Amino acid sequence: MAQRQFQTEVSQLLHLIIHSLYSNREIFLRELVSNASDALDKLKYLTVADDSYKSLSFDPRIDLSFNKDAKTLTIADNGIGMNETDLIESLGTIARSGTRTFLEKLSDDAKKNSNLIGQFGVGFYSAFMVAERIEVISRKAGEGTAWKWLSDGKDGFDILPASRETQGTTVILHLSEDGAEYANRWSIEDIVRRYSNHVAFPIYLTYDENEYDDKGKVKSSKTKTDKINSGSAIWQRPKSELKKEDYDEFYKQLAHDNDEPLFYLHTHAEGTLEYSTLFYVPKKAPFDLYNVDCKPGIKLYVKRVFITDDDKELMPSWLRFVRGVIDSEDLPLNVSREILQQNKILLNIKNASVNKLLAEFKNVAENNKEMWDTFISEFNRPLKEGLYHDWGNRDPLLELVRFKSSTKEGRVSFADYVSRMKSDQKSIYYISGGDEKTLRASPLLEAYTAQEIEVLIMDDEIDDIVLPHIDKYKKWDVKAVNRAGADEELGKKKDKKAEKEIQPLIDRIKKVLGDRVKDVKLSRRLLDSPSCIVADENDPTIQMAQMLKAMGQIEVPDIKPILEINGDHPIVARIRDIEDEARVADIAGVLLDQALLVEGIKLKDPADFVKRLNRLLTL
Ligand code: ADP
């Protein structure tokens, strides 16, 4: 029976940790290494800040060792250490305020609790998930005596005088039956690399390397000590100390990429919030970029301790191609995912990071053509996604996205377009809903081409989803040329007299086409072609409706086009003289179907089209 009892809250928390976090129990090592690292941080600070510690020779390190047969795992540091009072207070009570209310919130649901416990910070006590008994031998820096803390994690602990040569703390875990797997070189190395690789102090592992004879018996054994973490958080180091090679090497390890990154962005923020970020843009889009389960590329650290790399909230989804690290000095360790998502500190870091990345993209666009070309050919599409999802960053994103153009080679920006606009032009025009070739050949472009008005060619599938959400770039309207109202600016002014004259014919065509069209109108945008189709102001285009249907959205309404007729075209002129209603119906049907075909739209009834065409050809 232990001589000293745990505070009630400690017993409750112990019970909860063991039951809620068991499936993730390897984190105990991260917790103990973090404590060791904190203890080193504290002493390091004192040796710098406090005269009475200045004479101390201090070579900070964390030492791990194990004994398979005795089933022990030892974590030792030469940090600040604890005296008797510290041990009682730190490892027997929970000093944090609000503990009781926190514990009251916990239920019997292990899953829910594991999230809440994350928020609280499990710390030292998590070691009882793998140990049936723990010894802590510690000597406080500047003091002569050492103390031993002993507990089985059930009801309490004992404290005894002990000896330790130098300041620091040694934690000896007597592993339980199912914790015994951690007395193993490979699992220790693996866990340390995964969670504590960038702890800023060296972590050493001592182990025995055996040599075997022919019969497989141990011939000799040598004790070895290896440093098992990289020991320097590259993102914490001043930029002036780092070379491109350092950045490249870290990127390759981080992103599992054999290639160098396209560029990187390294920042340290100080002030209200203190954090460092190191972001990389790969040369190639990650292979899973367009998969629903695309793996996020950002690792979150708190004070150089790895927290998670599996949180999609660390970056907006359109920036999921960015790889890198966020390391905050202000977040609590062990912050849970649930908490991360509403955390104000993290939100601030995220927003600032997005702004910095956007500024860097702009910088590349303006100053490094080759790099920009690679960037935009890989990431134009995610940027467009940003236009759709990230309303707050619309303006900088509008400057970055690029499109093909009816008058220029390569990719152009909205700003390029505007710089070439005609002096009286009020809108930016684009055509979308098909492949590049179809779009470039569309009759809808005829009048624009004739009047040398540039039209952006939107042949990317995502354009049709994104563009309808962008009604303006700066002061200019952004208009699709296949919209009913997009022809207002075209030079061909409305000719009232001609319109009146042709109205009876339009009415006839409308009648024979019936419910295949929403309306029939005299066109102002056609020169060489007899007809074209456009979508009504607020309707989706037919191409878009077809795409939605292909994506499995069954509830897509049947969209009817508006048919526009070129009053100056000889075919149209000919119909006026035809009395036979059936023939007018054939010609009108062909005018509609060919307008659909030329836009790359699949006809609903191709046989009907062929029959009409053959009847007309036979005449
Ligand atoms: P936390 O680290 O979140 O405070 P822990 O339960 O892990 O919670 O640790 C409680 C306290 O015990 C720490 O705040 C620290 O003061 C002390 N402690 C734990 N490990 C060490 C260590 N290796 N050296 C010095 N102090 C330690």
Side-chain angles (χ1 to χ4, degrees):
M1 183 75 186
Q3 283 168 4
R4 294 167 191 268
Q5 301 301 297
F6 282 131
Q7 192 190 18
T8 338
E9 280 85 355
V10 175
S11 299
Q12 280 174 296
L13 192 66
L14 265 167
H15 178 85
L16 282 158
I17 289 170
I18 292 168
H19 290 91
S20 303
L21 291 180
Y22 191 77
S23 60
N24 196 16
R25 61 192 195 279
E26 65 188 23
I27 58 146
F28 79 91
L29 192 53
R30 175 187 77 187
E31 298 297 313
L32 296 181
V33 167
S34 291
N35 282 347
S37 167
D38 286 348
L40 292 168
D41 268 333
K42 282 181 202 158
L43 185 57
K44 196 175 168 187
Y45 173 76
L46 288 178
T47 59
V48 180
D50 189 329
D51 284 341
S52 53
Y53 290 89
K54 279 200 173 132
S55 59
L56 193 89
S57 84
F58 181 46
D59 173 25
R61 57 186 284 155
I62 298 168
D63 275 282
L64 308 180
S65 58
F66 61 92
N67 184 324
K68 227 179 205 142
D69 303 325
K71 288 198 287 176
T72 59
L73 172 57
T74 302
I75 298 97
D77 65 71
N78 56 352
I80 185 83
M82 289 173 276
N83 60 23
E84 188 183 12
T85 325
D86 294 337
L87 282 168
I88 295 168
E89 276 172 11
S90 300
L91 306 182
T93 61
I94 302 172
R96 279 161 288 190
S97 58
T99 307
R100 202 179 295 271
T101 24
F102 166 76
L103 286 167
E104 278 162 12
K105 273 198 283 184
L106 296 172
S107 60
D108 291 332
D109 184 346
K111 262 212 185 112
K112 268 194 205 147
N113 289 344
S114 63
N115 271 326
L116 284 169
I117 283 178
Q119 165 194 11
F120 189 76
V122 289
F124 174 82
Y125 301 112
S126 64
F128 282 108
M129 291 191 290
V130 299
E132 54 192 21
R133 202 151 53 80
I134 300 179
E135 287 176 66
V136 179
I137 299 145
S138 196
R139 179 169 149 192
K140 192 158 182 165
E143 296 186 12
T145 38
W147 295 91
K148 183 191 271 194
W149 177 100
L150 284 167
S151 174
D152 61 2
K154 294 209 167 74
D155 51 355
F157 57 95
D158 289 306
I159 294 210
L160 309 163
S163 66
R164 197 182 192 281
E165 256 176 53
T166 58
Q167 91 285 343
T169 302
T170 305
V171 178
I172 305 169
L173 306 180
H174 295 270
L175 299 166
S176 58
E177 208 56 60
D178 35 338
E181 59 177 294
Y182 298 107
N184 172 306
R185 184 181 161 198
W186 308 115
S187 49
I188 295 170
E189 277 190 26
D190 175 54
I191 300 171
V192 169
R193 288 232 173 83
R194 227 155 358 112
Y195 293 103
S196 314
N197 197 27
H198 298 288
V199 164
F201 302 103
I203 303 173
Y204 294 96
L205 175 62
T206 300
Y207 57 92
D208 287 334
E209 196 167 66
N210 297 333
E211 268 188 49
Y212 298 90
D213 62 16
D214 303 342
K215 295 185 185 100
K217 276 196 158 175
V218 178
K219 199 167 68 180
S220 65
S221 183
K222 252 192 277 169
T223 303
K224 284 191 152 186
T225 300
D226 291 345
K227 180 163 164 263
I228 56 171
N229 69 328
S230 82
S232 84
I234 171 172
W235 59 88
Q236 292 281 348
R237 291 166 58 189
K239 282 189 261 185
S240 56
E241 272 181 19
L242 293 161
K243 293 195 291 282
K244 182 180 177 295
E245 294 82 72
D246 298 317
Y247 286 111
D248 287 357
E249 186 195 311
F250 179 64
Y251 167 77
K252 288 179 184 178
Q253 173 209 325
L254 178 84
H256 302 283
D257 192 344
N258 290 327
D259 225 346
E260 271 109 52
L262 188 60
F263 55 89
Y264 58 83
L265 182 64
H266 187 189
T267 54
H268 300 288
E270 271 160 26
T272 12
L273 288 182
E274 204 180 325
Y275 61 89
S276 300
T277 56
L278 174 54
F279 297 125
Y280 292 95
V281 170
K283 273 192 187 139
K284 284 228 155 308
F287 74 97
D288 60 351
L289 193 63
Y290 301 108
N291 293 0
V292 249
D293 55 355
C294 170
K295 206 172 151 23
I298 304 296
K299 287 186 190 237
L300 176 69
Y301 283 77
V302 172
K303 300 186 190 93
R304 291 161 305 288
V305 178
F306 172 71
I307 304 294
T308 177
D309 61 358
D310 192 24
D311 196 303
K312 296 199 174 183
E313 302 296 319
L314 295 176
M315 272 284 146
S317 77
W318 63 271
L319 275 170
R320 63 190 178 280
F321 58 87
V322 174
R323 301 287 176 249
V325 170
I326 296 174
D327 188 352
S328 159
E329 299 294 318
D330 307 293
L331 282 169
L333 262 175
N334 242 319
V335 59
S336 84
R337 263 190 229 186
E338 227 171 44
I339 295 311
L340 278 181
Q341 291 176 11
Q342 326 141 356
N343 188 287
K344 285 222 178 81
I345 297 174
L346 199 62
L347 193 69
N348 267 321
I349 298 178
K350 180 172 156 181
N351 288 342
S353 299
V354 174
N355 289 342
K356 288 203 185 101
L357 282 165
L358 282 166
E360 184 61 16
F361 297 164
K362 180 165 178 259
N363 175 35
V364 172
E366 286 166 1
N367 300 309
N368 192 332
K369 183 173 172 348
E370 200 186 323
M371 195 181 266
W372 176 252
D373 285 347
T374 311
F375 177 84
I376 208 68
S377 66
E378 294 294 317
F379 305 117
N380 201 19
R381 192 168 160 185
L383 296 183
K384 289 176 183 172
E385 284 178 34
L387 279 177
Y388 184 75
H389 289 296
D390 193 350
W391 194 249
N393 286 311
R394 225 177 77 121
D395 289 344
L397 280 166
L398 278 174
E399 300 299 339
L400 293 171
V401 288
R402 296 289 186 268
F403 306 103
K404 288 171 188 155
S405 150
S406 63
T407 60
K408 289 279 169 215
E409 292 264 316
R411 292 189 175 89
V412 307
S413 67
F414 279 126
D416 297 333
Y417 182 104
V418 165
S419 72
R420 291 190 288 263
M421 265 165 95
K422 303 180 93 176
S423 57
D424 56 347
Q425 196 180 329
K426 290 190 197 69
S427 304
I428 295 170
Y429 294 103
Y430 72 89
I431 181 164
S432 69
D435 58 49
E436 186 177 351
K437 205 170 155 213
T438 312
L439 294 179
R440 286 191 189 278
S442 169
L444 292 165
L445 293 187
E446 286 169 5
Y448 295 90
T449 309
Q451 291 173 41
E452 292 175 333
I453 296 175
E454 183 173 359
V455 177
L456 298 172
I457 310 284
M458 309 276 185
D459 63 338
D460 193 344
E461 249 180 50
I462 191 173
D463 293 332
D464 264 325
I465 300 171
V466 174
L467 266 298
H469 289 262
I470 298 166
D471 47 354
K472 271 196 184 309
Y473 167 75
K474 295 189 174 163
K475 64 174 183 177
W476 295 279
D477 289 331
V478 177
K479 286 188 178 167
V481 298
N482 59 352
R483 290 278 160 187
D487 58 352
E488 277 152 17
E489 272 197 71
L490 290 176
K492 243 180 159 184
K493 289 277 168 273
K494 273 196 176 172
D495 180 341
K496 282 264 159 19
K497 199 167 146 244
E499 246 173 45
K500 215 171 167 190
E501 234 177 72
I502 207 164
Q503 197 53 46
L505 175 68
I506 294 217
D507 290 341
R508 260 177 103 189
I509 295 176
K510 206 148 112 183
K511 198 173 140 217
V512 294
L513 289 177
D515 63 0
R516 288 192 65 199
V517 291
K518 191 163 185 175
D519 202 356
V520 180
K521 285 181 177 162
L522 180 64
S523 183
R524 284 186 285 179
R525 55 189 123 206
L526 293 172
L527 296 180
D528 303 327
S529 304
S531 62
C532 68
I533 49 142
V534 295
D536 205 358
E537 216 59 82
N538 297 313
D539 282 352
T541 60
I542 298 192
Q543 292 94 324
M544 220 159 111
Q546 286 186 344
M547 200 169 87
L548 291 174
K549 242 182 218 159
M551 280 159 61
Q553 299 214 7
I554 326 283
E555 295 291 317
V556 185
D558 202 14
I559 306 297
K560 288 189 189 117
I562 294 174
L563 179 68
E564 286 194 359
I565 299 290
N566 179 356
D568 300 331
H569 198 277
I571 298 182
V572 177
R574 270 196 60 201
I575 324 180
R576 293 192 205 211
D577 309 326
I578 300 169
E579 303 269 315
D580 181 0
E581 211 57 11
R583 252 179 73 200
V584 174
D586 278 348
I587 297 173
V590 169
L591 285 180
L592 173 62
D593 284 345
Q594 62 160 273
L596 288 165
L597 281 173
V598 80
E599 300 297 333
I601 295 164
K602 226 176 133 209
L603 297 182
K604 274 204 195 114
D605 191 351
D608 179 64
F609 168 70
V610 171
K611 265 187 220 148
R612 285 176 198 278
L613 193 62
N614 286 338
R615 275 201 295 269
L616 293 170
L617 288 173
T618 323
L619 285 171

